[in-house]
Amino acid sequence: NKPPMRKLVLAFFLLLPLAVFAQEHAAPAEPDKVPYDPGKWYTGVHMSVYWFSYRSPDLNSLTPEPIPSSLGGGGFNVWAGYRLTRHVDVRAGLFFHSDRYSFFNSKPVQLNDTTWASRRGSTGNRPFYLPLEIRLTPFGSHRRIQPYLLLGFGTQISRVYETSFRYRQARTEEVPGQPGRWGMVVSDLEIERKGFLVTFGAHVGTGLQVRVYRRLGLSLDFAFGRNLSRHGSVTVNGNFGLTYDLAGN
């Protein structure tokens, strides 16, 4: 029995260096996966749209001032956000655009037996839109795919121009380029700035953010709410763009 035992011992000592070599050159163990840390702050650039609608009174109502039919716009919006927890954060945005929106005419006013007056307004260039929102992320902001809910408040600020004109109801003439159509003849026309129009709205919404590369993500959301201004009706807004998470501590 001794010869076989000697062969086994000899084989053991011959294979031992090979085992040590293989252990030293084996692939290192995969380290534990580090959870994603989005940090407290984030920023973003979105393509945003918003719309405020109004309940427009009839021209023969007793409303003395022009009432807008709707106010809205779209443009690139710069966002900044702060995470209170992994599930709750606040964010604010700011953008402006150069669109222009007309009001309805005001109720006509009779100045004397032959002359009437009316007013018409419009929002001016470069109106601002400032949204402030709370974002709720049920599954946590550390995940790659993040559905979320929104609760927010939006403010629109724009300069107002007012057009005042006088006319005689009994005096009409054919509208140029429109045969058979007759319109009033304006005797006096004046356009002036009338300060600023501030519109408020509250909204709720939902959205989805997906982290596509390191700390860079794509997000899309939509919200619907109430125009809180006088004669206000509903408000709608939406955002699509890039979000970047700043590094944690």
Side-chain angles (χ1 to χ4, degrees), residues 7-23:
K7 291 180 179 180
L8 290 175
V9 173
L10 181 60
F12 174 79
F13 282 102
L14 290 176
L15 294 176
L16 182 60
L18 295 176
V20 174
F21 178 84
Q23 179 67 27

Side-chain angles (χ1 to χ4, degrees), residues 12-232:
F12 174 79
F13 282 102
L14 290 176
L15 294 176
L16 182 60
L18 295 176
V20 174
F21 178 84
Q23 179 67 27
E24 291 178 351
H25 293 79
E30 184 177 349
D32 294 336
K33 188 175 182 181
V34 179
Y36 176 73
D37 180 14
K40 287 292 187 180
W41 291 92
Y42 62 89
T43 185
V45 177
H46 293 169
M47 184 65 184
S48 301
V49 294
Y50 70 91
W51 179 67
F52 292 92
S53 70
Y54 285 80
R55 299 187 305 272
S56 301
D58 185 83
L59 292 182
N60 294 322
S61 69
L62 298 179
T63 303
E65 74 277 6
I67 303 300
S69 56
S70 65
L71 300 170
F76 285 101
N77 190 6
V78 179
W79 286 90
Y82 180 78
R83 292 186 174 89
L84 302 175
T85 69
R86 279 191 171 184
H87 303 280
V88 181
D89 60 82
V90 293
R91 68 178 189 176
L94 169 64
F95 77 92
F96 62 89
H97 59 91
S98 59
D99 293 341
R100 197 179 182 99
Y101 296 87
S102 295
F103 291 112
F104 281 167
N105 291 335
S106 65
K107 179 184 177 182
V109 177
Q110 187 172 4
L111 301 180
N112 51 49
D113 292 340
T114 60
T115 305
W116 290 65
S118 185
R119 296 182 301 148
R120 181 171 56 219
S122 63
T123 59
N125 292 332
R126 303 300 185 191
F128 288 86
Y129 177 62
L130 302 92
L132 176 64
E133 297 176 332
I134 297 175
R135 189 171 72 165
L136 307 176
T137 309
F139 303 108
S141 57
H142 62 291
R143 296 184 179 273
R144 181 175 297 276
I145 300 176
Q146 305 171 28
Y148 56 85
L149 301 175
L150 293 174
L151 176 63
F153 183 81
T155 303
Q156 191 265 6
I157 306 173
S158 58
R159 184 178 292 277
V160 175
Y161 294 83
E162 184 179 271
T163 303
S164 301
F165 53 94
R166 298 185 180 188
Y167 61 95
R168 294 184 179 182
Q169 281 192 324
R171 184 181 175 187
T172 60
E173 63 182 15
E174 192 171 20
V175 178
Q178 301 183 36
R181 182 176 178 181
W182 294 74
M184 66 182 182
V185 177
V186 177
S187 60
D188 186 25
L189 180 67
E190 181 180 358
I191 300 176
E192 61 178 324
R193 293 182 178 181
K194 300 294 290 187
F196 292 89
L197 173 68
V198 182
T199 304
F200 302 98
H203 58 264
V204 295
T206 184
L208 179 69
Q209 179 171 315
V210 179
R211 194 167 71 252
V212 294
Y213 179 73
R214 294 185 178 179
R215 295 183 172 275
L216 190 66
L218 286 175
S219 64
L220 173 67
D221 56 61
F222 175 82
F224 178 85
R226 174 75 176 178
N227 182 351
L228 302 177
S229 305
R230 186 181 180 186
H231 305 293

